Amino acid sequence: MLSLFLPLFLVFLLLGLPVFFGLIAAPGILLWLNGQERDIVLLYRNIYNGMDSFPLMAIPFFMLAGEVMNRSNITHRLVEFSQAMIGHFRGGLAHVNVLSSILFAGLSGSAVADVSALGSMLIPAMEAQGYTRKFAAAITASSSIIGPIIPPSGIMIIYAYVMGESVAALFLAGIVPGILIGVSLMLVVRVLANRYDLPAKTRRATWGERGHASLKAIWPLLTPVIILGGILGGVFTPTEAAAIAVGYSLVIGLFVMRTLKWSDLPDVMLRSGMTSAVVLLLVGAAMAFKTVASLSHTPELLASIILGLSDNPLILLFLINILLFIVGMFLDAGPAIIILGPILGPIFTSLGVDSVHFAIIMAVNLTVGLLTPPMGLVLFVTSSVSGLRVETIARATLPFLAVEVLVIFLITYIPALTLTVPRLFGFVH
Amino acid sequence: MGILLGLTRALAALNAALLAAGRQIGTACVGLMVLFILIQVFFRYVLNDAPAWTEEGARFLMLWMTGLMAPTAFRRGGFVAIETLVRLIPDRPATVLQLLLLLVSLCVLVVGVQIAWAETTGFVGRAPTDALRLPLDLTGTDWFKIPKSWARASIAVGCTLLLSVNVELLLRGLVRLLGAGDALLEIADATIMLEAE
């Protein structure tokens, strides 16, 4: 009977119960009906135990660092840098949009922060240069999903914690897929630019101008170097690196660029604290949920069902990608990873799929889900930033979405795209 | 209806005040967490002697940050949920469905509050933390070992605040169902999203 907790959880979820309560209510009710009161205490105790974690502290810190960078107006400098480098191509500002997202991803690790920061600046600028607003909104939304794929990344930290993976390995594994999505989007822009005669910035920046733009952007651009360098060099743990990123961004904002005011800090800390609190509570509930999942032997049951469909990992990976894509349409990436990671991860690892590879397949697929209706968080934020309807943006993103789906399959079937970088650093054998 | 409205407004005022205080303390916790970990890094790599209290202290603050700030997110609709069905059906059935879901979350929280307080005041809570101490005099010779209950209380307080918010949301739903929704003050719009994504 305990194995019914998963269908019951899905029913609660579809009815609209917040994920946090569903994760506790579904197993809790069945444990109660089974007369396992002591396990109910264990369920609740594990929420606390799940949250009382040092590695998990990287989440509020990276969010805070992103907020500080954002409030320090570094977005402007990143866009200027991108403009100087590639703004002269046809469809220049669209390329700038994608490159800025790649650079911003190295600071914040959040698609929503990317859309809010870059969209409010680039969508009006693109419109002023002759792009349609829906095209500008579509490329902003589509490129923002690079945020959680290139390190640092909130969802990678969550996955690593819930599944006991190395944060550094997942961070490294996300680099190539993130850049691949960026390059693919640029290729689509290139094709669309020729077909629809998209505007170009007429003058190529001189090397002097490029150097000046690089100097202005150097401080924010160094952040990912410090984070990854510190972690990979064994100098810091990921949590310490995240705290260093906060300290670094504060120094840049307050003393170097002087674009951040002391009076901004309470609001910045409040925002990151509120967002983190929701995520941490979810992770705690997920750890409790995981306990019941193992008590009920549901993963074994699901594994036998999935393996009954086919014993070919390639076919199963195809099917799981479709499942993840559908889940991503209804659920945000973080909660989806929390729920599905402990169930699907072990199945595919037992089939010989590398655990880091599977983590990236899940993370990229579910992150692309942020771009799909009816529950695409990025679509909602882009709609609020651009003033366009969600449906309009969703339709305009289709060419970009198509190429992102293609990248998901490339990542799925060419493990080297994901595993080469972590292998070079000795995280994958 | 008058009594129901009065009760809802009173609870709303109480929650607003408690959660505002919670947000202030939570904000301070965020700042202190960063400070503690930066101190840890400084001591470990510069002075080659990491203090034991920084990591546990930062975890303590993170738990309190979560317990004090998550209820505000819940009150403002910031808890992740699939709201497609609620949006698709007419207003009245949607309100009934939301009330039923709030009853489910109420049950979760009632049990949660009981267990969390029992854990806080029980055997585990009385044990001292590994490294957290408070000085009892200015010379630093006498120290008070902070018990684990001080950290566990974060979840007990958090669950209690969530329960209070849940009851307020239930009352608001009832008022709306009875057709007096216009008499309610709006809760500040949610600006909380899963920015981890």
Side-chain angles (χ1 to χ4, degrees):
Chain A
M1 180 154 129
L2 204 53
S3 58
L4 289 175
F5 82 93
L6 203 58
L8 184 62
F9 169 68
L10 289 176
V11 170
F12 278 146
L13 212 59
L14 292 174
L15 287 175
L17 187 70
V19 178
F20 170 73
F21 293 117
L23 285 168
I24 307 300
I29 288 171
L30 292 171
L31 286 170
W32 179 65
L33 289 174
N34 254 6
Q36 292 172 263
E37 274 84 8
R38 293 181 75 164
D39 287 329
I40 296 179
V41 176
L42 182 70
L43 179 76
Y44 279 86
R45 192 178 286 158
N46 280 348
I47 302 176
Y48 175 88
N49 293 339
M51 287 193 298
D52 186 17
S53 149
F54 185 64
L56 213 51
M57 206 181 295
I59 292 175
F61 287 168
F62 277 129
M63 282 188 189
L64 182 56
E67 282 279 346
V68 170
M69 286 279 184
N70 213 353
R71 196 65 69 94
S72 305
N73 207 17
I74 52 99
T75 320
H76 197 78
R77 296 190 181 205
L78 292 182
V79 172
E80 272 182 11
F81 171 77
S82 306
Q83 176 85 17
M85 295 301 163
I86 56 170
H88 57 279
F89 292 132
R90 180 159 296 283
L93 266 186
H95 290 299
V96 167
N97 200 322
V98 178
L99 181 59
S100 300
S101 284
I102 293 174
L103 300 175
F104 195 83
L107 312 177
S108 90
S110 154
V112 171
D114 182 299
V115 173
S116 316
L118 292 173
S120 53
M121 185 182 168
L122 278 171
I123 294 173
M126 288 177 75
E127 218 179 345
Q129 253 199 31
Y131 295 84
T132 61
R133 192 189 296 189
K134 68 177 182 182
F135 178 84
I139 187 65
T140 305
S142 306
S143 62
S144 73
I145 61 131
I146 298 169
I149 299 171
I150 287 182
S153 159
I155 58 169
M156 302 281 189
I157 295 168
I158 293 173
Y159 190 97
Y161 178 62
V162 174
M163 298 299 294
E165 290 292 337
S166 151
V167 174
L170 296 193
F171 275 9
L172 288 171
I175 294 175
V176 173
I179 293 172
L180 197 59
I181 288 179
V183 172
S184 310
L185 291 176
M186 284 178 164
L187 287 174
V188 176
V189 168
R190 171 88 192 203
V191 171
L192 294 177
N194 289 335
R195 179 174 296 179
Y196 297 110
D197 201 24
L198 292 180
K201 185 175 181 287
T202 48
R203 192 175 65 81
R204 182 192 285 261
T206 63
W207 283 107
E209 285 168 335
R210 286 179 178 181
H212 184 63
S214 305
L215 273 181
K216 281 177 77 178
I218 191 75
W219 297 110
L221 287 177
L222 277 176
T223 314
V225 178
I226 292 170
I227 295 170
L228 274 182
I231 297 172
L232 298 176
V235 184
F236 315 126
T237 63
T239 305
E240 288 171 344
I244 295 284
V246 174
Y248 177 74
S249 56
L250 282 172
V251 169
I252 292 176
L254 289 169
F255 305 114
V256 180
M257 289 167 50
R258 298 186 184 194
T259 42
L260 183 72
K261 295 192 288 286
W262 285 98
S263 57
D264 291 330
L265 293 185
D267 186 51
V268 164
M269 289 194 287
L270 175 71
R271 284 178 62 83
S272 56
M274 293 271 278
T275 317
S276 309
V278 177
V279 177
L280 294 173
L281 212 53
L282 264 179
V283 175
M287 297 308 274
F289 191 76
K290 201 175 148 182
T291 315
V292 181
S294 57
L295 278 176
S296 68
H297 303 288
T298 304
E300 291 89 331
L301 190 71
L302 275 174
S304 65
I305 294 171
I306 290 174
L307 292 172
L309 296 172
S310 167
D311 55 0
N312 184 339
L314 300 180
I315 293 172
L316 289 177
L317 280 172
F318 178 81
L319 294 175
I320 222 65
N321 266 315
I322 292 171
L323 171 75
L324 291 173
F325 193 79
I326 294 168
V327 169
M329 292 167 80
F330 293 93
L331 206 58
D332 297 329
I337 278 177
I338 284 170
I339 297 162
L340 293 175
I343 294 170
L344 298 177
I347 298 173
F348 281 87
T349 312
S350 68
L351 281 170
V353 178
D354 188 279
S355 57
V356 172
H357 182 209
F358 186 73
I360 298 299
I361 294 172
M362 263 194 98
V364 175
N365 196 324
L366 291 168
T367 304
V368 171
L370 295 172
L371 203 58
T372 52
M375 291 291 289
L377 191 58
V378 160
L379 287 179
F380 297 141
V381 182
T382 314
S383 165
S384 123
V385 171
S386 67
L388 290 170
R389 288 162 57 90
V390 167
E391 303 88 283
T392 310
I393 303 167
R395 266 197 299 274
T397 56
L398 282 177
F400 303 114
L401 188 62
V403 84
E404 284 170 350
V405 170
L406 190 67
V407 171
I408 291 173
F409 282 105
L410 280 177
I411 293 166
T412 303
Y413 291 115
I414 310 175
L417 290 174
T418 303
L419 297 178
T420 303
V421 180
R423 191 170 282 143
L424 283 174
F425 284 87
F427 286 96
V428 175
H429 301 290
Chain B
M1 177 54 77
I3 295 172
L4 187 62
L5 262 177
L7 204 61
T8 310
R9 285 176 182 157
L11 190 56
L14 176 71
N15 281 340
L18 287 174
L19 299 187
R23 287 194 299 276
Q24 300 277 338
I25 301 168
T27 302
C29 288
V30 174
L32 285 173
M33 274 159 62
V34 177
L35 187 66
F36 280 20
I37 299 304
L38 289 178
I39 288 173
Q40 175 170 305
V41 173
F42 177 80
F43 270 78
R44 181 182 298 159
Y45 296 108
V46 180
L47 305 180
N48 216 10
D49 178 26
W53 57 269
T54 47
E55 182 178 321
E56 195 172 11
R59 277 193 283 120
F60 179 90
L61 292 164
M62 182 172 72
L63 289 166
W64 274 101
M65 176 201 80
T66 306
L68 293 171
M69 288 179 139
T72 297
F74 181 40
R75 189 166 184 256
R76 294 181 181 179
F79 270 25
V80 185
I82 297 177
E83 290 164 343
T84 316
L85 183 63
V86 173
R87 283 188 200 148
L88 286 176
I89 58 179
D91 278 356
R92 209 171 162 78
T95 308
V96 174
L97 175 61
Q98 281 173 326
L99 280 172
L100 290 173
L101 295 174
L102 281 166
L103 282 174
V104 174
S105 52
L106 183 77
C107 295
V108 169
L109 289 169
V110 167
V111 178
V113 165
Q114 288 172 350
I115 293 175
W117 281 112
E119 294 272 303
T120 303
T121 53
F123 176 72
V124 179
R126 283 195 291 274
T129 50
D130 293 334
L132 298 181
R133 308 271 186 278
L134 283 177
L136 289 175
D137 59 22
L138 290 175
T139 57
T141 49
D142 203 7
W143 293 85
F144 168 70
K145 292 180 178 178
I146 293 179
K148 286 184 175 166
S149 60
W150 288 27
R152 289 189 173 263
S154 62
I155 301 306
V157 169
C159 277
T160 309
L161 289 173
L162 283 169
L163 180 63
S164 182
V165 169
N166 198 109
V167 173
E168 183 198 337
L169 295 177
L170 260 173
L171 291 176
R172 293 177 79 93
L174 273 177
V175 170
R176 275 202 306 278
L177 195 67
L178 296 172
D182 293 343
L184 292 171
L185 288 174
E186 280 299 311
I187 295 173
D189 281 343
T191 49
I192 311 138
M193 281 171 286
L194 272 180
E195 292 188 357
E197 292 151 13

